[in-house]
Amino acid sequence: METQSLTGILLISFGTSHSETRKKTIEAMELEIRGAFPQYPVFHAWTSPRIIRKLKKIGHTIPTPQEALAKMLEQGIRRVLVQPTYILNAIENQLMKDWVNDFADKFDAISFGAPLLTSETDFHDVLQAVKQEFSPLDADTALVLMGHGSEHPANIAYKQLQDLCIASQYPNIFVGTVEASPSLDDILTELKSTDCRRVILAPLMLVAGEHAVNDMSGESPASWKNRLLANGYSVTPVLKGLGEYPDIRNIFIKHAREALNR
């Protein structure tokens, strides 16, 4: 991408209806992208129609990728870097690419930055960011991270991150998912073989939205918090999305920079 004045960055997120976490994560990410690349205009879009409709009813309008790309065309952008804020290169990321590529004949070039967990270095960097956030962990305390999970083969990333925790000698960090594997049942099995009696629960998701508020820390008997309590653990939920971690935002910026330099 040679001509800066004709290049634009499009930051794409799934979205969230929770305003507090949105400001601390998605909007914070956009601010950092603008700061890291002041020479490029930055646009944003969300991919969840349900959340977009929900916010529109209360007067908060968020563009879809198609609407954002149309606006970029109107403003004379000829080359587009799309940086997603997804965790995995899974179903959502593939759908987003399909939507964006429908505009391929309208721009001179479209490139894509990588999701969070893509390279081996990413896994190490994410683990270090999480470890730093919750360090030190007492010997009787486990950190349980809740990911979303996916039917896509990229879901293996959660097991890879768990394997890295073990290989890096962080045996008290456990990685699970709401909708796939590893599950909370898997984590409970592993927890029983440790001396941990306390559990810190945190989302392994960009935002602390519906899943973090309800599935992770909600009052339903099926929430991870209450299931852990029922198994005799002391539980502390932390409603802080990955997008609040400066080191995580830096990984996305690195991915955007790599894509711009390709």
Side-chain angles (χ1 to χ4, degrees):
M1 296 186 179
E2 299 173 356
T3 308
Q4 294 178 354
S5 61
L6 297 179
T7 299
I9 298 175
L10 176 55
L11 187 69
I12 294 185
S13 302
F14 180 80
T16 179
S17 59
H18 292 254
S19 61
E20 185 174 341
T21 192
R22 180 184 74 240
K23 293 171 185 175
K24 294 177 180 178
T25 57
I26 297 174
E27 293 180 7
M29 185 73 250
E30 183 176 346
L31 285 173
E32 294 225 9
I33 288 282
R34 292 182 185 279
F37 305 101
Q39 67 273 46
Y40 301 120
V42 176
F43 302 78
H44 68 269
W46 291 4
T47 55
S48 171
R50 179 183 64 83
I51 296 175
I52 290 174
R53 287 194 301 269
K54 186 174 182 179
L55 289 191
K56 192 170 184 179
K57 289 179 181 178
I58 59 173
H60 194 88
T61 301
I62 301 290
T64 65
Q66 296 91 331
E67 290 168 343
L69 288 163
K71 184 176 180 180
M72 295 175 86
L73 280 171
E74 290 175 4
Q75 296 192 14
I77 301 297
R78 299 305 311 154
R79 299 172 183 85
V80 179
L81 163 68
V82 177
Q83 179 57 57
T85 63
Y86 300 128
I87 307 301
L88 308 181
N89 183 11
I91 295 169
E92 288 293 333
N93 197 58
Q94 294 300 317
L95 284 172
M96 176 274 292
K97 284 187 172 183
D98 290 343
W99 293 332
V100 171
N101 283 328
D102 284 341
F103 283 73
D105 61 343
K106 296 178 173 62
F107 292 95
D108 294 340
I110 297 176
S111 60
F112 295 90
L116 183 66
L117 287 173
T118 300
S119 69
E120 184 177 343
T121 299
D122 294 338
F123 282 84
H124 285 273
D125 290 345
V126 168
L127 177 56
Q128 287 304 311
V130 170
K131 174 181 170 287
Q132 181 173 321
E133 181 71 22
F134 293 97
S135 184
L137 280 176
D138 295 334
D140 69 341
T141 303
L143 172 62
V144 173
L145 301 171
M146 174 193 266
H148 186 278
S150 172
E151 297 177 357
H152 192 277
N155 187 76
I156 192 66
Y158 295 108
K159 183 179 184 302
Q160 291 172 325
L161 186 59
Q162 179 69 81
D163 291 345
L164 180 61
C165 291
I166 296 169
S168 303
Q169 299 184 346
Y170 304 130
N172 285 12
I173 299 179
F174 298 88
V175 180
T177 67
V178 185
E179 298 187 359
S181 177
S183 66
L184 179 58
D185 288 332
D186 297 323
I187 291 175
L188 283 167
T189 299
E190 296 297 325
L191 275 173
K192 289 173 183 176
S193 66
T194 73
D195 295 325
C196 296
R197 301 315 306 161
R198 298 178 61 246
V199 172
I200 298 171
L201 268 178
L204 189 67
M205 307 177 190
L206 186 79
V207 303
E210 294 289 342
H211 285 301
V213 171
N214 297 317
D215 298 308
M216 189 185 84
S217 58
E219 295 310 314
S220 163
S223 75
W224 284 29
K225 179 190 74 175
N226 283 331
R227 288 192 62 196
L228 285 160
L229 286 170
N231 277 271
Y233 296 97
S234 169
V235 183
T236 303
V238 177
L239 290 173
K240 185 172 184 177
L242 291 179
E244 294 188 49
Y245 301 12
D247 288 346
I248 295 292
R249 296 197 296 267
N250 285 337
I251 296 171
F252 284 116
I253 289 170
K254 181 183 74 171
H255 288 178
R257 186 168 285 113
E258 289 168 348
L260 281 167
N261 291 333
R262 280 201 295 266

